[in-house]
Amino acid sequence: MAAPGKVAAFRLPPLPTVGEIIKLFRLKALKQLSQNFLLDLRLTDKIVKQAGELKNAHVCEVGPGPGGITRSILSAGVEQLLLIEKDARFIPGLQMLSEAAPGKVHIVHGDILTYKMEKAFPKHLKKNWEDEPPNIHIIGNLPFSVSTPLIIKWLENVSKRDGPFIYGRTQMTLTFQKEVGERLTANPGSKQRSRLSIMAQHLCTVENCFVIPGQAFVPKPEVDVAVVHFTPLVQPKIQQPFELVEKVVQSVFQFRRKYCFRGIETLFPENGRLKRTEELMMTANVDPTLRPFQLSMSQFRSLCNAYRKMCDEDPSLFVFNYREELRQKKVTRGSLESTGQPEQTEEENQL
């Protein structure tokens, strides 16, 4: 019996192990969905611990699969747990967990990429952006095929303060391929520094918590897995619209082995390209001979601010698409040449 004045800790009743659930429902990881099961509850507990204090919290778990991390979340004493699972084969096993934790679990059979997170949690949990993060957490052992598009989508939500971030600075604890985890947290000068590094770090504090060896998963993936924790920043490091930042950052990293000047050129139409590129680099005070991975966050901020000023003066700049310009040139070249396919330019090969 619990001591007077204390609430007894929530404990799941005896259940089949995750391995037994997999056998019971004849579950098999599908390679085309890049599914990998984590059966070791010590590791699932460790992932959940990285999310912080979850007692009485509201949690959304993405892709729970056979429910290993789900058990660890429930054991942490959460108030409510929302499970979003795309694969119908896992629903019966998750319903077994739901029945073991009456009133705590809500299961949605759906795709996280299209699920409306704006209505996922009670309104009373909302906090002002400047306040401490709300008592809401997103946790997930993501399939590799969905992890990068999903984090880009959520970073855009952070920038616009919508989706799961309509409630405030909702924290996320997610798994990625080790290499993607390294990109998310890479510092200037690191060869892993990429578009993902800038987009994540300008909007969030990003922490690479620990690495899970591939052999801990069933089936064993060819790579190790990183657990990464995100806390949205009160103020983004680049205070420009998400689409503008993404366009500049993407352009800079188009030719990651060349000078950053080369990538910046792709922001401008061929007519006047060199002059406008020089103008942007001078306004931003960025050395054009630096490689993309050498640029600091403040240099990216300067580039974005300078590009925004140029777009305000000439709105047609922002809608310019370098790839489309290349495509049109190729079509024109092809129509002029009567024999065979025209050879691709170096730019076309790299893009």
Side-chain angles (χ1 to χ4, degrees):
M1 187 174 174
K6 288 191 176 180
V7 180
F10 175 79
R11 284 182 183 275
L12 282 168
L15 287 165
T17 66
V18 181
E20 287 166 348
I21 291 279
I22 289 170
K23 286 179 183 174
L24 179 65
F25 294 104
R26 296 180 181 176
L27 302 173
K28 187 179 178 183
L30 298 179
K31 192 172 183 180
Q32 63 267 35
L33 296 180
S34 59
Q35 292 174 338
N36 302 95
F37 304 151
L38 191 55
L39 308 186
D40 188 336
L41 292 185
R42 290 168 302 178
L43 284 172
T44 60
D45 285 348
K46 193 175 177 185
I47 291 172
V48 169
K49 197 173 180 183
Q50 299 304 319
E53 178 55 62
L54 293 187
K55 193 164 181 62
N56 301 322
H58 287 247
V59 176
C60 171
E61 186 189 354
V62 184
I69 293 178
T70 313
R71 295 176 187 226
S72 295
I73 295 171
L74 287 169
S75 297
V78 298
E79 178 76 20
Q80 288 287 323
L81 175 56
L82 169 65
L83 302 176
I84 301 176
E85 178 54 65
K86 185 178 180 180
D87 192 335
R89 297 174 307 142
F90 296 119
I91 302 298
L94 296 174
Q95 283 171 338
M96 187 182 286
L97 276 176
S98 177
E99 289 160 12
K104 281 186 178 286
V105 181
H106 177 55
I107 302 168
V108 172
H109 176 214
D111 188 342
I112 188 62
L113 287 168
T114 55
Y115 183 73
K116 302 291 183 190
M117 293 287 283
E118 292 87 345
K119 297 176 182 177
F121 305 104
K123 288 182 181 177
H124 70 82
L125 295 172
K126 280 190 181 182
K127 292 241 185 141
N128 292 325
W129 195 259
E130 297 74 23
D131 294 342
E132 285 298 303
N135 202 11
I136 295 172
H137 297 262
I138 297 172
I139 299 174
N141 173 29
L142 306 176
F144 295 154
S145 59
V146 80
S147 59
T148 302
L150 184 57
I151 195 59
I152 288 291
K153 171 183 160 67
W154 276 340
L155 289 171
E156 183 171 4
N157 290 146
V158 171
S159 175
K160 296 176 179 176
R161 300 181 186 181
D162 60 11
F165 307 97
I166 203 166
Y167 301 92
R169 295 186 296 121
T170 300
Q171 296 178 79
M172 303 182 285
T173 308
L174 307 167
T175 62
F176 299 89
Q177 288 185 49
K178 183 185 172 190
E179 185 183 335
V180 177
E182 288 169 351
R183 284 185 204 157
L184 284 161
T185 55
N187 293 318
S190 164
K191 291 291 171 73
Q192 294 286 11
R193 186 84 158 169
S194 67
R195 161 193 171 224
L196 211 49
S197 318
I198 310 304
M199 299 310 295
Q201 293 171 34
H202 105 85
L203 290 163
C204 298
T205 299
V206 190
E207 181 189 357
N208 201 335
C209 304
F210 65 96
V211 172
I212 304 174
Q215 61 258 32
F217 293 85
V218 178
K220 179 190 167 194
E222 293 176 7
V223 294
D224 293 339
V225 173
V227 177
V228 184
H229 183 76
F230 302 80
T231 306
L233 295 165
V234 173
Q235 289 289 347
K237 291 179 181 173
I238 304 172
Q239 296 194 17
Q240 295 294 350
F242 183 86
E243 293 82 2
L244 185 141
V245 178
E246 188 173 43
K247 186 176 183 185
V248 171
V249 173
Q250 215 164 16
S251 296
V252 170
F253 281 101
Q254 291 250 32
F255 303 97
R256 60 176 296 113
R257 294 178 185 174
K258 298 194 174 185
Y259 295 145
C260 63
F261 184 96
R262 182 65 193 88
I264 292 291
E265 283 185 320
T266 65
L267 289 169
F268 303 108
E270 192 170 28
N271 185 19
R273 176 170 288 153
L274 187 61
K275 184 182 175 186
R276 281 175 151 176
T277 304
E278 287 173 347
E279 181 190 337
L280 176 62
M281 302 299 286
M282 285 180 68
T283 305
N285 193 26
V286 171
D287 180 351
T289 63
L290 288 172
R291 310 282 179 186
F293 63 86
Q294 293 175 310
L295 297 180
S296 67
M297 188 64 75
S298 63
Q299 287 170 317
F300 272 105
R301 183 192 307 124
S302 298
L303 288 169
C304 290
N305 291 344
Y307 180 63
R308 170 66 184 270
K309 190 179 174 190
M310 294 174 82
C311 288
D312 287 345
E313 292 167 0
D314 179 3
S316 69
L317 264 189
F318 188 68
V319 294
F320 168 71
N321 186 312
Y322 180 69
R323 288 170 185 262
E324 181 60 25
E325 183 186 75
L326 279 181
R327 195 184 70 80
Q328 291 291 347
K329 281 169 71 176
K330 188 176 179 181
V331 168
T332 306
R333 250 193 357 261
S335 64
L336 292 173
E337 294 186 18
S338 54
T339 56
Q341 281 285 91
E343 286 188 16
Q344 287 193 318
T345 63
E346 181 193 3
E347 288 90 345
E348 288 165 342
N349 282 324
Q350 289 213 32
L351 289 168

